[in-house]
Amino acid sequence: MCHILSLPPDFGSAKLHTKRGQATTLGGGTEGWQSPEAILGEGATPASDVFSCGLVFFFVLTGGKHPFGDDEAKRARLMVRFASADPDDAEEVAEADAKVQKRVGAGLAGHDPEATELVAGMLRHAPSERPSAAEVLRSALLREALDAHTCPLSFEVMRDPVITADGQTYEREEIERWFATGKRSSPLTGKDLESTALLPNIALRNAIAEM
């Protein structure tokens, strides 16, 4: 099962090699998911990972779409053209950014404006203009996703979510440990519970399994 917190460590730097030993990408990273600087072979930084993560966010939020297009050949050309914008030409960079932001806005129409703004920012051409990894982690987009799937006791994505008598959901092992200490109150509200019975949260468990 893949959790939203599971981040492949080589995502921003791995290359797929052919049988002849030739890399299939111009720079480091998985083709179609590289940052502009990775495409140009300029080396990866945390900002490069933020860009790649922005592509993944767009993919997830749109149900499988890519901001640079779904046709692989056309997408590759668009990404190279975007990467090739002259960083010393502010007008050229602004034009390149505007095109991407327009595609992001169209693709995420109907989503929370804050999510659209975050993804558009993550896909800026200049690494210095992208939000930091810490800012992304603090964003409402991730916070809401994590709040829905994370146990409030362990702060980890749940594997076996269960519902207590007051309707709150926890990881089974964590809430059973809470009750094992003799507590009969809610960890979140502090109020006494009518019982310590637990019900499986099947809907949430299935949702987590599909992440």
Side-chain angles (χ1 to χ4, degrees), residues 6-210:
S6 179
L7 302 177
D10 64 346
F11 184 83
S13 59
K15 290 184 180 180
L16 177 64
H17 288 260
T18 65
K19 292 181 179 179
R20 297 180 180 179
Q22 297 175 327
T24 61
T25 57
L26 294 178
T30 304
E31 188 169 5
W33 305 94
Q34 302 161 286
S35 66
E37 54 273 21
I39 290 176
L40 298 178
E42 297 175 352
T45 67
S48 305
D49 290 333
V50 167
F51 185 95
S52 295
C53 193
L55 296 175
V56 174
F57 281 6
F58 185 91
F59 181 88
V60 172
L61 291 172
T62 59
K65 300 294 183 181
H66 195 289
F68 287 88
D70 299 320
D71 179 84
E72 291 186 8
K74 182 179 180 180
R75 180 173 67 206
R77 290 195 298 270
L78 287 175
M79 292 190 73
V80 170
R81 187 181 306 164
F82 178 72
S84 300
D86 184 355
D88 295 324
D89 188 330
E91 186 175 341
E92 184 177 348
V93 170
E95 183 179 349
D97 278 337
K99 290 179 180 178
V100 172
Q101 290 173 22
K102 182 178 180 180
R103 288 194 288 267
V104 170
L108 298 183
H111 284 276
D112 189 307
E114 187 174 346
T116 302
E117 182 180 354
L118 174 68
V119 174
M122 294 170 75
L123 299 182
R124 295 289 294 271
H125 181 275
S128 61
E129 295 296 321
R130 301 170 198 154
S132 67
E135 289 171 328
V136 174
L137 289 173
R138 290 195 300 265
S139 68
L141 177 62
L142 270 189
R143 189 169 61 249
E144 290 174 6
L146 292 176
D147 285 348
H149 300 90
T150 302
C151 174
L153 291 174
S154 67
F155 302 105
E156 295 181 355
V157 176
M158 291 178 280
R159 295 171 295 176
D160 185 12
V162 292
I163 305 171
T164 53
D166 62 347
Q168 302 291 344
T169 297
Y170 305 88
E171 172 65 33
R172 180 185 294 276
E173 182 179 350
E174 296 297 331
I175 190 63
E176 287 181 344
R177 183 181 294 117
W178 173 271
F179 289 146
T181 63
K183 297 185 177 76
R184 293 295 182 267
S185 59
S186 166
L188 291 180
T189 67
K191 295 181 179 179
D192 290 337
L193 298 172
E194 292 182 359
S195 77
T196 58
L198 301 173
L199 294 175
N201 192 331
I202 298 175
L204 179 57
R205 185 173 61 193
N206 291 340
I208 294 173
E210 294 175 359

